[in-house]
Amino acid sequence: MRWWDIDGVFELERDLFPDDAWSNGMFWSELAHARGPGATRRYVVAEDGGKVVGYAGLAAAGGLGDVQTIAVSRDAWGSGLGSELLTELIRHATAFECEEILLEVRVDNTRAQKLYERFGFEPIGFRRGYYQPGNVDALVMRLVVQGTENRELN
């Protein structure tokens, strides 16, 4: 994702998450941490005919990755785009040397939960009232990154 993608990303964000959409400024802030030697973020977009149809973002620090956001336009649901975006985030988490990846997903978003489960994410807890203003709970899920679960630290 680059600065010129933000308008298209924000448009999709408002369509998919009308009650708790990120602001335009939040995307700008995330991108500010996605470049240079000290980068801690990685954001990707998918386009079809020059229009943003999906995006995803990851934050990484101290061996822990956190899926910040992942979204696919309604027209692309069921196309495998969500899997492609999540695969890309996991690839970047590996490049950041993350040992595990966390995410929050709305408890009422079973479509997304099934996607995460197919990738090996497991539920580890809840965050009550996490999504506002609707006061919807979040299911917290974790994936242990392959090859790190038995690593010894010296």
Side-chain angles (χ1 to χ4, degrees):
M1 184 186 299
R2 304 285 191 182
W3 65 267
W4 53 81
D5 296 313
I6 289 179
D7 287 343
V9 166
F10 184 58
E11 182 179 329
L12 183 55
E13 175 82 3
R14 285 184 308 193
D15 178 53
L16 295 172
F17 311 111
D19 295 331
D20 53 2
W22 282 21
S23 70
N24 206 318
M26 289 172 75
F27 285 107
W28 277 100
S29 178
E30 288 295 294
L31 283 186
H33 298 284
R35 299 282 178 262
T40 59
R41 306 290 196 276
R42 179 67 177 156
Y43 278 76
V44 296
V45 294
E47 295 181 336
D48 184 12
K51 181 178 179 174
V52 173
V53 294
Y55 57 90
L58 174 83
L64 179 65
D66 188 54
V67 174
Q68 299 291 292
T69 186
I70 186 166
V72 173
S73 70
R74 296 178 208 289
D75 293 342
W77 285 2
S79 70
L81 180 56
S83 292
E84 289 179 48
L85 291 168
L86 187 54
T87 297
E88 190 69 8
L89 292 185
I90 293 170
R91 186 173 74 78
H92 288 293
T94 301
F96 277 123
E97 299 181 352
C98 295
E99 297 174 9
E100 60 184 21
I101 305 169
L102 298 176
L103 60 80
E104 293 91 13
V105 59
R106 289 174 64 107
V107 293
D108 58 359
N109 189 346
T110 56
R111 164 183 245 114
Q113 290 173 35
K114 288 177 183 178
L115 168 67
Y116 302 139
E117 288 169 358
R118 284 197 312 268
F119 277 77
F121 282 86
E122 296 178 342
I124 61 168
F126 292 93
R127 293 197 173 151
R128 303 287 177 209
Y130 184 78
Y131 293 98
Q132 294 296 330
N135 202 36
V136 177
D137 294 345
L139 174 64
V140 181
M141 301 182 81
R142 176 181 63 201
L143 173 70
V144 175
V145 178
Q146 290 292 330
T148 63
E149 62 273 2
N150 295 319
R151 183 181 297 165
E152 288 185 34
L153 300 176
N154 294 319

Coordinates of all heavy atoms in Angstrom, one line a residue, residues 81-134:
L81 N -9.5 -14.1 -2.5 CA -8.7 -12.9 -2.3 C -8.3 -12.8 -0.8 O -7.2 -12.4 -0.5 CB -9.4 -11.7 -2.8 CG -8.6 -10.4 -2.6 CD1 -7.2 -10.4 -3.2 CD2 -9.4 -9.2 -3.2
G82 N -9.2 -13.1 0.1 CA -8.9 -13.0 1.5 C -7.8 -13.9 1.9 O -6.9 -13.6 2.7
S83 N -7.8 -15.1 1.3 CA -6.7 -16.1 1.6 C -5.4 -15.6 1.0 O -4.3 -15.7 1.7 CB -7.0 -17.4 0.9 OG -8.1 -18.1 1.5
E84 N -5.4 -14.9 -0.1 CA -4.2 -14.4 -0.7 C -3.6 -13.2 0.2 O -2.4 -13.2 0.4 CB -4.5 -13.8 -2.1 CG -4.7 -14.9 -3.2 CD -5.0 -14.3 -4.5 OE1 -4.2 -13.4 -4.9 OE2 -6.0 -14.7 -5.1
L85 N -4.5 -12.4 0.7 CA -4.0 -11.3 1.5 C -3.5 -11.8 2.8 O -2.4 -11.4 3.3 CB -5.2 -10.3 1.8 CG -5.7 -9.5 0.6 CD1 -7.0 -8.8 0.9 CD2 -4.6 -8.5 0.2
L86 N -4.1 -12.8 3.4 CA -3.6 -13.4 4.7 C -2.3 -14.1 4.5 O -1.4 -14.0 5.3 CB -4.7 -14.3 5.3 CG -4.4 -14.9 6.7 CD1 -4.1 -13.7 7.7 CD2 -5.5 -15.7 7.1
T87 N -2.2 -14.8 3.4 CA -0.9 -15.4 3.0 C 0.2 -14.4 2.9 O 1.3 -14.6 3.4 CB -1.0 -16.2 1.7 OG1 -2.0 -17.3 1.8 CG2 0.3 -16.8 1.3
E88 N -0.1 -13.3 2.3 CA 0.9 -12.2 2.2 C 1.3 -11.7 3.6 O 2.5 -11.4 3.9 CB 0.4 -11.1 1.3 CG 1.4 -10.1 0.9 CD 2.4 -10.6 -0.1 OE1 2.4 -11.7 -0.6 OE2 3.4 -9.8 -0.3
L89 N 0.3 -11.5 4.5 CA 0.7 -11.0 5.8 C 1.5 -12.0 6.6 O 2.5 -11.6 7.3 CB -0.6 -10.7 6.6 CG -1.5 -9.5 6.1 CD1 -2.6 -9.3 7.1 CD2 -0.6 -8.3 5.9
I90 N 1.2 -13.3 6.5 CA 2.0 -14.3 7.1 C 3.4 -14.4 6.6 O 4.4 -14.5 7.3 CB 1.3 -15.7 7.0 CG1 0.0 -15.7 7.8 CG2 2.2 -16.8 7.5 CD1 -0.9 -16.9 7.6
R91 N 3.5 -14.2 5.3 CA 4.9 -14.1 4.7 C 5.7 -13.0 5.2 O 6.9 -13.1 5.6 CB 4.7 -14.0 3.1 CG 6.0 -14.0 2.4 CD 5.8 -14.1 0.9 NE 5.4 -12.8 0.4 CZ 6.3 -11.8 0.2 NH1 7.5 -11.9 0.4 NH2 5.8 -10.6 -0.3
H92 N 5.0 -11.8 5.4 CA 5.7 -10.7 6.0 C 6.0 -10.8 7.5 O 7.1 -10.4 7.9 CB 5.0 -9.4 5.7 CG 5.0 -9.0 4.3 ND1 6.2 -8.6 3.7 CD2 4.1 -9.0 3.3 CE1 5.9 -8.3 2.4 NE2 4.7 -8.5 2.1
A93 N 5.1 -11.5 8.2 CA 5.4 -11.8 9.6 C 6.6 -12.7 9.7 O 7.5 -12.5 10.6 CB 4.2 -12.5 10.2
T94 N 6.8 -13.6 8.8 CA 8.0 -14.5 8.8 C 9.2 -13.6 8.5 O 10.3 -13.8 9.2 CB 7.8 -15.6 7.8 OG1 6.7 -16.4 8.1 CG2 9.1 -16.5 7.7
A95 N 9.1 -12.7 7.6 CA 10.3 -11.8 7.3 C 10.6 -10.9 8.5 O 11.8 -10.6 8.7 CB 9.9 -11.0 6.0
F96 N 9.6 -10.5 9.3 CA 9.8 -9.8 10.5 C 10.3 -10.6 11.6 O 10.5 -10.2 12.7 CB 8.6 -9.1 10.9 CG 8.3 -7.7 10.2 CD1 7.1 -7.6 9.6 CD2 9.1 -6.7 10.3 CE1 6.7 -6.4 8.9 CE2 8.9 -5.5 9.7 CZ 7.6 -5.3 9.0
E97 N 10.5 -11.9 11.4 CA 10.9 -12.9 12.4 C 9.9 -13.1 13.5 O 10.3 -13.2 14.7 CB 12.3 -12.7 12.8 CG 13.3 -12.7 11.7 CD 14.8 -12.5 12.2 OE1 15.0 -12.1 13.3 OE2 15.7 -12.7 11.3
C98 N 8.6 -13.0 13.2 CA 7.6 -13.2 14.2 C 7.5 -14.6 14.6 O 7.5 -15.5 13.7 CB 6.3 -12.6 13.7 SG 6.2 -10.9 13.5
E99 N 7.3 -14.9 15.9 CA 7.1 -16.3 16.4 C 5.7 -16.6 16.4 O 5.3 -17.8 16.3 CB 7.8 -16.4 17.7 CG 9.3 -16.2 17.7 CD 9.9 -16.2 19.0 OE1 9.3 -16.6 20.0 OE2 11.1 -15.9 19.1
E100 N 4.8 -15.6 16.6 CA 3.4 -15.8 16.5 C 2.7 -14.6 16.0 O 3.2 -13.5 16.0 CB 2.9 -16.2 17.9 CG 3.1 -15.2 19.0 CD 2.6 -15.7 20.4 OE1 2.5 -16.9 20.6 OE2 2.4 -14.9 21.2
I101 N 1.5 -14.8 15.5 CA 0.6 -13.8 15.0 C -0.7 -13.8 15.7 O -1.3 -14.8 15.9 CB 0.4 -14.0 13.5 CG1 1.7 -14.1 12.7 CG2 -0.4 -12.8 12.9 CD1 1.6 -14.6 11.3
L102 N -1.1 -12.6 16.1 CA -2.4 -12.5 16.8 C -3.3 -11.7 15.9 O -2.9 -10.9 15.0 CB -2.2 -11.7 18.1 CG -1.4 -12.4 19.2 CD1 -1.3 -11.5 20.4 CD2 -2.0 -13.7 19.6
L103 N -4.6 -11.8 16.2 CA -5.6 -11.0 15.5 C -6.9 -11.0 16.4 O -7.1 -11.8 17.2 CB -5.9 -11.5 14.1 CG -6.5 -12.9 13.9 CD1 -7.9 -13.0 14.2 CD2 -6.2 -13.3 12.5
E104 N -7.7 -9.9 16.1 CA -9.0 -9.9 16.7 C -10.0 -9.9 15.6 O -9.8 -9.3 14.5 CB -9.3 -8.6 17.5 CG -8.4 -8.4 18.7 CD -7.1 -7.7 18.5 OE1 -6.9 -7.1 17.4 OE2 -6.2 -7.8 19.3
V105 N -11.1 -10.6 15.8 CA -12.2 -10.7 14.8 C -13.5 -10.6 15.5 O -13.7 -11.1 16.6 CB -12.1 -12.0 14.0 CG1 -12.1 -13.3 14.8 CG2 -13.1 -12.1 12.8
R106 N -14.4 -9.9 14.9 CA -15.8 -9.8 15.5 C -16.4 -11.2 15.8 O -16.2 -12.1 14.9 CB -16.7 -9.0 14.6 CG -16.4 -7.5 14.5 CD -17.3 -6.9 13.5 NE -18.7 -6.9 13.9 CZ -19.4 -5.9 14.3 NH1 -18.8 -4.7 14.4 NH2 -20.6 -6.0 14.6
V107 N -17.0 -11.4 16.9 CA -17.6 -12.7 17.2 C -18.7 -13.0 16.2 O -19.0 -14.2 16.1 CB -18.1 -12.8 18.7 CG1 -16.9 -12.7 19.7 CG2 -19.1 -11.7 19.0
D108 N -19.3 -12.0 15.6 CA -20.4 -12.3 14.7 C -19.9 -12.4 13.2 O -20.7 -12.6 12.3 CB -21.5 -11.2 14.7 CG -20.9 -9.8 14.5 OD1 -19.7 -9.6 14.3 OD2 -21.8 -8.9 14.6
N109 N -18.6 -12.4 13.0 CA -18.0 -12.5 11.7 C -17.5 -14.0 11.4 O -16.3 -14.2 11.4 CB -16.9 -11.5 11.4 CG -16.4 -11.5 10.0 OD1 -16.7 -12.3 9.2 ND2 -15.7 -10.4 9.7
T110 N -18.4 -14.9 11.3 CA -18.0 -16.3 11.1 C -17.3 -16.6 9.8 O -16.4 -17.5 9.8 CB -19.2 -17.2 11.2 OG1 -20.2 -16.8 10.3 CG2 -19.9 -17.2 12.6
R111 N -17.5 -15.8 8.8 CA -16.8 -16.0 7.5 C -15.3 -15.8 7.7 O -14.5 -16.6 7.3 CB -17.4 -15.0 6.5 CG -16.5 -14.8 5.3 CD -17.0 -13.8 4.3 NE -17.3 -14.5 3.1 CZ -18.5 -14.7 2.6 NH1 -19.5 -14.1 3.1 NH2 -18.7 -15.4 1.5
A112 N -14.9 -14.7 8.4 CA -13.5 -14.4 8.7 C -12.9 -15.5 9.6 O -11.8 -15.9 9.4 CB -13.4 -13.0 9.2
Q113 N -13.7 -15.8 10.7 CA -13.2 -16.8 11.6 C -12.8 -18.1 10.9 O -11.8 -18.7 11.2 CB -14.2 -17.1 12.7 CG -14.4 -15.9 13.6 CD -15.5 -16.1 14.6 OE1 -15.8 -17.3 15.0 NE2 -16.2 -15.1 14.9
K114 N -13.7 -18.6 10.0 CA -13.4 -19.8 9.2 C -12.1 -19.7 8.4 O -11.3 -20.6 8.3 CB -14.6 -20.2 8.4 CG -15.8 -20.7 9.2 CD -17.0 -21.0 8.3 CE -18.1 -21.4 9.2 NZ -19.3 -21.7 8.4
L115 N -11.9 -18.5 7.8 CA -10.7 -18.3 7.0 C -9.5 -18.4 7.9 O -8.5 -19.1 7.6 CB -10.7 -16.8 6.4 CG -9.4 -16.3 5.8 CD1 -9.0 -17.2 4.6 CD2 -9.5 -14.9 5.5
Y116 N -9.5 -17.7 9.1 CA -8.4 -17.8 10.0 C -8.1 -19.2 10.5 O -7.0 -19.7 10.6 CB -8.6 -16.8 11.1 CG -8.8 -15.4 10.7 CD1 -9.7 -14.6 11.3 CD2 -8.0 -14.9 9.7 CE1 -9.9 -13.3 10.9 CE2 -8.2 -13.5 9.3 CZ -9.1 -12.8 9.9 OH -9.3 -11.5 9.5
E117 N -9.2 -20.0 10.8 CA -9.0 -21.3 11.2 C -8.4 -22.2 10.1 O -7.6 -23.1 10.5 CB -10.4 -21.9 11.6 CG -10.9 -21.3 12.9 CD -12.4 -21.7 13.2 OE1 -13.0 -22.4 12.4 OE2 -12.9 -21.3 14.3
R118 N -8.7 -22.0 8.9 CA -8.1 -22.8 7.8 C -6.6 -22.5 7.7 O -5.8 -23.4 7.3 CB -8.7 -22.4 6.4 CG -10.1 -23.0 6.2 CD -10.5 -22.9 4.7 NE -10.3 -21.7 4.1 CZ -11.2 -20.7 4.0 NH1 -12.4 -20.9 4.5 NH2 -11.0 -19.6 3.3
F119 N -6.1 -21.4 8.2 CA -4.7 -21.0 8.2 C -4.0 -21.5 9.5 O -2.8 -21.3 9.7 CB -4.5 -19.5 8.0 CG -4.5 -19.1 6.6 CD1 -5.7 -19.0 5.9 CD2 -3.3 -18.9 5.9 CE1 -5.7 -18.7 4.5 CE2 -3.3 -18.5 4.6 CZ -4.5 -18.4 3.9
G120 N -4.8 -22.1 10.4 CA -4.2 -22.6 11.7 C -4.3 -21.7 12.9 O -3.8 -22.0 13.9
F121 N -5.0 -20.5 12.7 CA -5.3 -19.7 13.9 C -6.2 -20.4 14.8 O -7.2 -21.0 14.4 CB -5.9 -18.3 13.5 CG -4.9 -17.4 12.8 CD1 -4.6 -17.4 11.5 CD2 -4.3 -16.4 13.6 CE1 -3.7 -16.5 10.9 CE2 -3.5 -15.5 13.1 CZ -3.2 -15.5 11.7
E122 N -5.9 -20.3 16.1 CA -6.7 -20.9 17.2 C -7.2 -19.8 18.1 O -6.5 -18.9 18.4 CB -5.9 -21.9 17.9 CG -5.4 -23.1 17.1 CD -4.6 -24.0 17.8 OE1 -4.1 -23.7 18.9 OE2 -4.5 -25.2 17.3
P123 N -8.5 -20.0 18.6 CA -9.0 -19.0 19.6 C -8.3 -19.1 20.9 O -8.0 -20.2 21.4 CB -10.5 -19.4 19.8 CG -10.7 -20.4 18.7 CD -9.4 -21.0 18.2
I124 N -8.0 -17.9 21.5 CA -7.3 -17.9 22.8 C -8.0 -17.0 23.8 O -7.5 -16.9 24.9 CB -5.8 -17.5 22.6 CG1 -5.6 -16.1 22.0 CG2 -5.0 -18.5 21.8 CD1 -4.2 -15.5 22.2
G125 N -9.0 -16.3 23.4 CA -9.7 -15.4 24.3 C -10.6 -14.5 23.7 O -10.9 -14.5 22.5
F126 N -11.2 -13.6 24.5 CA -12.2 -12.6 24.0 C -11.8 -11.2 24.5 O -11.2 -11.1 25.6 CB -13.6 -12.9 24.5 CG -14.2 -14.2 23.9 CD1 -14.0 -15.4 24.6 CD2 -14.8 -14.1 22.7 CE1 -14.6 -16.5 24.0 CE2 -15.4 -15.3 22.2 CZ -15.2 -16.5 22.8
R127 N -12.2 -10.2 23.8 CA -12.1 -8.8 24.3 C -13.5 -8.3 24.3 O -14.1 -8.0 23.2 CB -11.2 -8.0 23.4 CG -9.7 -8.5 23.5 CD -8.7 -7.5 23.0 NE -7.4 -8.0 23.3 CZ -6.3 -7.8 22.7 NH1 -6.4 -7.0 21.6 NH2 -5.2 -8.3 23.0
R128 N -14.1 -8.1 25.4 CA -15.5 -7.7 25.6 C -15.6 -6.3 25.1 O -14.8 -5.4 25.5 CB -15.9 -7.8 27.0 CG -15.8 -9.2 27.6 CD -16.8 -10.2 27.0 NE -16.6 -11.5 27.5 CZ -16.9 -12.6 26.9 NH1 -17.4 -12.5 25.7 NH2 -16.6 -13.8 27.4
G129 N -16.6 -6.0 24.3 CA -17.0 -4.7 23.8 C -15.9 -4.0 23.0 O -15.8 -2.8 22.9
Y130 N -15.0 -4.8 22.4 CA -13.9 -4.3 21.6 C -14.3 -3.4 20.5 O -13.6 -2.4 20.2 CB -13.0 -5.5 21.1 CG -11.8 -5.1 20.4 CD1 -10.6 -4.7 21.2 CD2 -11.7 -5.2 19.0 CE1 -9.4 -4.4 20.5 CE2 -10.5 -4.8 18.4 CZ -9.4 -4.5 19.1 OH -8.2 -4.2 18.5
Y131 N -15.3 -3.8 19.7 CA -15.7 -3.0 18.6 C -16.8 -2.0 19.0 O -17.9 -2.4 19.4 CB -16.2 -3.9 17.4 CG -15.1 -4.8 16.9 CD1 -14.9 -6.1 17.3 CD2 -14.2 -4.3 15.9 CE1 -13.9 -6.9 16.8 CE2 -13.2 -5.1 15.4 CZ -13.0 -6.4 15.8 OH -12.0 -7.1 15.3
Q132 N -16.4 -0.8 18.8 CA -17.4 0.3 19.2 C -17.8 1.1 17.9 O -17.0 1.1 17.0 CB -16.7 1.2 20.2 CG -16.4 0.6 21.5 CD -17.6 0.1 22.3 OE1 -18.7 0.7 22.1 NE2 -17.5 -1.0 23.0
P133 N -18.9 1.7 17.9 CA -19.8 2.0 19.0 C -20.8 0.8 19.2 O -21.6 0.9 20.1 CB -20.5 3.2 18.5 CG -20.6 3.1 17.0 CD -19.3 2.4 16.7
G134 N -20.7 -0.3 18.5 CA -21.7 -1.3 18.6 C -21.5 -2.2 19.8 O -22.4 -3.1 20.1

